[in-house]
Amino acid sequence: MTLRVLFLGEGSSDEGLVPHIERIAAELDVPVAVSSPALDWISPPVGHSVADKLRAVRGLSDTYDLAVLQRDADRGPDQDRRDEIAAAVRTEWPGLAHMPVVPVRMLEAWLLLDEQAIRQVAGNPNGRMDLQLPRPSTVERIPDPKQQLKETLALASGAKGRCLAELQKRFPRNRHRLFELLDQEGPVSQVPSWHRFVTDLTTALTNRP
């Protein structure tokens, strides 16, 4: 039986997590069909909260066996986000099996560790400048991982002026590409929030009735 999995992230670029959900499921020999509905076209516009998105998706009358709901911890405890997600499910879609994904502080923290992937996406794979990448043990304490990732890609590119401005415009696309290149067995595997994501997903996929 193929499990129907709903993925809802904070933004469209977070859909880079979908291939990793599929890969983990494949390694567990669990057939899945992951759906990440495009909510931008719905009128009136869908709000940004988990509850708003669940309400909108439920209105589409689709059914799912599992919902994977991503919400950055930002500057608060990750448990606050987990409680927020659980409350949204209870209110908007009671009985929906779900698991939270809570990067600390932001999802970009998971993308700051692979030097070769960063150099490749920055368009300068043979660059030698010191990128001063964080260690897995400290990356979750970076105040603004998104800004640091932007700055690191700029440094890795070696670009200046107009070329640098063009690189910065491509940040959403480059962020998505970094997700595609993310090595699940690489440095990110040592990051607590990533490890919890893998553990929680494994449990959710294998403990189905």
Side-chain angles (χ1 to χ4, degrees), residues 2-106:
T2 299
L3 294 182
R4 295 156 297 179
V5 178
L6 167 68
F7 173 76
L8 292 177
E10 291 203 351
S12 58
S13 57
D14 297 328
E15 293 174 9
L17 199 57
V18 169
H20 295 284
I21 295 171
E22 295 170 336
R23 178 181 170 185
I24 292 168
E27 291 174 347
L28 295 169
D29 199 24
V30 176
V32 297
V34 183
S35 175
S36 181
L39 303 180
D40 295 343
W41 60 269
I42 294 179
S43 182
V46 177
H48 296 293
S49 73
V50 176
D52 290 335
K53 293 173 183 178
L54 284 172
R55 189 183 312 117
V57 174
R58 193 178 187 188
L60 301 177
S61 300
D62 292 325
T63 58
Y64 298 96
D65 301 300
L66 175 68
V68 178
L69 308 173
Q70 182 254 323
R71 187 82 161 85
D72 290 347
D74 293 326
R75 298 187 180 277
D78 65 336
Q79 189 58 49
D80 287 355
R81 294 304 194 194
R82 293 174 181 276
D83 293 343
E84 174 189 334
I85 290 170
V89 171
R90 285 196 304 270
T91 301
E92 302 298 337
W93 206 325
L96 176 65
H98 72 281
M99 60 153 286
V101 182
V102 186
V104 181
R105 306 178 181 249
M106 300 175 185

Side-chain angles (χ1 to χ4, degrees), residues 126-148:
N126 298 318
R128 293 290 180 266
M129 61 287 289
D130 182 6
L131 302 184
Q132 299 182 347
L133 298 182
R135 297 187 301 276
S137 60
T138 63
V139 72
E140 292 181 319
R141 298 200 293 269
I142 294 173
D144 190 344
K146 180 180 289 186
Q147 183 60 34
Q148 183 152 335

